[in-house]
Amino acid sequence: HPLRIFFSLENGLPNCLLNRYHPMIQPKYEALMYFDDDGPFFSEAAMSTVGFELWRRNSDVQVGCFPRNIRFNSKRMLEAEKEMTLRSIQQAVGSQGIGAEMQEEVGGKVGDGQKQPEFIPTCRTTEGEKLTNNYNTFPHFAAHFILPSGSFLHRNYLCFIFHPALEELRRYVLDHPTKPDDITMSSLVSQLSGKAPRVFPRRINEQKQEAESNTAPMLETPAEEQNRRRLLWTDNMDIWAEIREEAINSVNGYFGSVNPGSVGWCAGTEYHKEKKKFSKVEKHHQCEPYFPTLNLVPWINEGMLGYNQCGL
């Protein structure tokens, strides 16, 4: 049968979510596309036409459409996040000669080897530096880890999580009540690549729907036939949020830093907006529309930003 199914137990592996990253799978192709067995699942346009093409141009990082943001609470980390977001945008668009205002704001140009996006140090024993899990939105900008469903990863990363040096980290995932393989693997890939994940929209609108969905939605209610079973979800959402938050602090504390955060699909285009949100002072980067049509996604349209970017 052309579909090769890898059975973990038959290959001497324990029942563990980390098995999807095990080198024993020996994938034939470089690109690995992930979906949780409880979903959600996304369209061919989102995954193949848009997502895979972004991964081809950024195969050294994790690429996904279900991004999560870590909220910082200390003034130091908030200021660092703001600067690193600008640097990340600058890096994404600077090579194309776009975004001069942003380059001037952070100082210098990406091409001169300065002002690269840096990881943000974290120390939860310092008062006010506990990380908070933002599980209410799926932001295109400043996302720090990717949920597995609808994500791409290079097969070369499979050799790392099962290295003996990371046995302590694997044991933590196995013993933790939420089995945080997603947080762990996403953070590990960022640390290995020295970069934040890349994000693409999980829904592509039809051309006639371009004017719709102009704001970033909160949690969606998927179609009934795709409704998630949430296999590890507890009945008490507050308890679940607390233990997931503990995992975020533990994993990022293990590495000692958080990646600089993602840039949205719209970076460097007219659809990249800065808007005041939750505060009359602070501005937040977002894409409008949140769910674009294919003709708006830059890296799949000739002549637009990222189309001629070489893969890594």
Side-chain angles (χ1 to χ4, degrees), residues 260-271:
S262 64
V263 296
W265 66 265
C266 60
T269 73
E270 61 185 291
Y271 309 105

Side-chain angles (χ1 to χ4, degrees), residues 72 76-77 80-81 84 87 116-122 144 186-197 252 255-261:
F72 303 132
R76 176 190 68 82
M77 297 187 77
E81 180 184 36
M84 292 312 127
R87 290 190 191 182
Q116 298 291 310
E118 299 172 358
F119 280 56
I120 302 171
T122 178
H144 300 101
S186 194
S187 300
L188 175 60
V189 172
S190 286
Q191 293 288 335
L192 292 169
S193 66
K195 299 178 182 179
N252 285 280
F255 292 112
S257 63
V258 183
N259 68 63

